[in-house]
Amino acid sequence: MSTTKPPNPPPNKLKILMLHGYTQSGPLFHAKSRALEKTLQKAFPPSPPANPSLPFPDGLELIYPTAPLRLHPTDIPGYDSDNEDGVAEEPDAWAWWRKNDHTGEYEGIEQGLARIAEVLKREGPFTGVVGFSQGGAAAGIVASLLENGRKEAFEKAEKRGGMVYPDSFLADGEMIHPPLRFAISFSGFRAPSERYRGFYEPKIETPVLHFLGSLDSVVEESRSQRLIDACVGKRDERVVFHPGGHFLPSQKQFLNTVVGFIRDVITTDEKGIGVEEKAEDMDVPF
């Protein structure tokens, strides 16, 4: 008598979507976040087969997509487009959208979100999202779009001139991916135009950890503060300053803060209860 072997269950991984910044690419962001990757791999290893007790027994996987909008030299302030032969070169630089300085609107944002939606459908499900700079703004946007009730919020905002909920995040009228469990934004910011109020009204309920560089001259603190204000949670529970500029901090105490935040969110979700650990209790200098 033959028996049919049951199919193997899908991998249970801590899968994180990694969104690069303006002028970067997926591979470049991967190279710049190696320290974070190594710390997360050490903190969330696969469980031994005999003791699959960890919350993600199949370990960690980080996915680094590249945005769809290729930037030209004129899109990049200070970029020298000529090589030593005097021939103009196209930079390997990409964006999730381009900002129109006159209107404040994000040109191409629908394409950027469609690329992210493709990755969510092809590589998901994801546990969370991490983003840097423009990718940090996109991380907040993606977390918002996947929340329950957000489509209805967009419908209300649309009546006041707001953006339509992106079709790429829907399939047969339903969201393409379950809500994320967390988001982490490095040097992120809120979309400034009122057209994008649907992302932030009501506030983003997904737990979001914000990293700001005290010497960041690219994204001013006030821009990041507007994103912080659009998220549920107290400032001292969700905001970390590092003594640097516009980059991902690689010092151990900040990387450990990321690990502590993810563990806290996972523990709270698994138990249905939990007390949020304040950033000030994570041994982080301010």
Side-chain angles (χ1 to χ4, degrees), residues 173-191:
E174 301 294 331
M175 292 184 183
I176 60 172
H177 190 284
L180 297 174
R181 296 170 72 174
F182 67 85
I184 301 174
S185 174
F186 291 91
S187 299
F189 49 88
R190 171 175 172 159

Side-chain angles (χ1 to χ4, degrees), residues 29 76 90 168 170 204 220 230 279:
F29 187 39
I76 307 173
E90 286 292 306
S168 58
L170 295 173
I204 299 171
E220 296 179 357

Side-chain angles (χ1 to χ4, degrees), residues 20-28 66-77 79 89-98 134:
H20 65 77
Y22 187 77
T23 76
Q24 294 185 338
S25 66
L28 180 59
T66 294
L69 304 179
R70 184 159 198 169
L71 298 175
H72 306 295
T74 54
D75 296 318
I76 307 173
Y79 182 81
E89 290 185 339
E90 286 292 306
D92 183 23
W94 306 82
W96 302 105
W97 59 75
R98 293 183 178 89
Q134 189 184 77

Side-chain angles (χ1 to χ4, degrees), residues 133 215-220 223 246:
S133 193
L215 301 179
D216 193 335
S217 60
V218 177
V219 176
E220 296 179 357
R223 295 180 67 194
H246 195 64

Side-chain angles (χ1 to χ4, degrees), residues 95-118:
W96 302 105
W97 59 75
R98 293 183 178 89
K99 182 182 177 184
N100 186 313
D101 291 330
H102 298 291
T103 66
E105 293 192 2
Y106 288 167
E107 298 174 350
I109 188 172
E110 291 83 0
Q111 291 173 259
L113 292 177
R115 171 65 55 82
I116 294 172
E118 290 175 6

Side-chain angles (χ1 to χ4, degrees), residues 15-19 61 63 65 116 119-120 126 128-131 142:
K15 186 173 284 192
I16 303 176
L17 178 63
M18 306 291 290
L19 302 179
E61 185 175 7
I63 303 296
I116 294 172
V119 177
L120 291 173
F126 288 87
V129 59
V130 172
V142 172

Side-chain angles (χ1 to χ4, degrees), residues 159-179:
K159 296 176 182 178
R160 296 180 289 164
M163 176 181 170
V164 177
Y165 188 90
D167 288 338
S168 58
F169 273 67
L170 295 173
D172 298 325
E174 301 294 331
M175 292 184 183
I176 60 172
H177 190 284

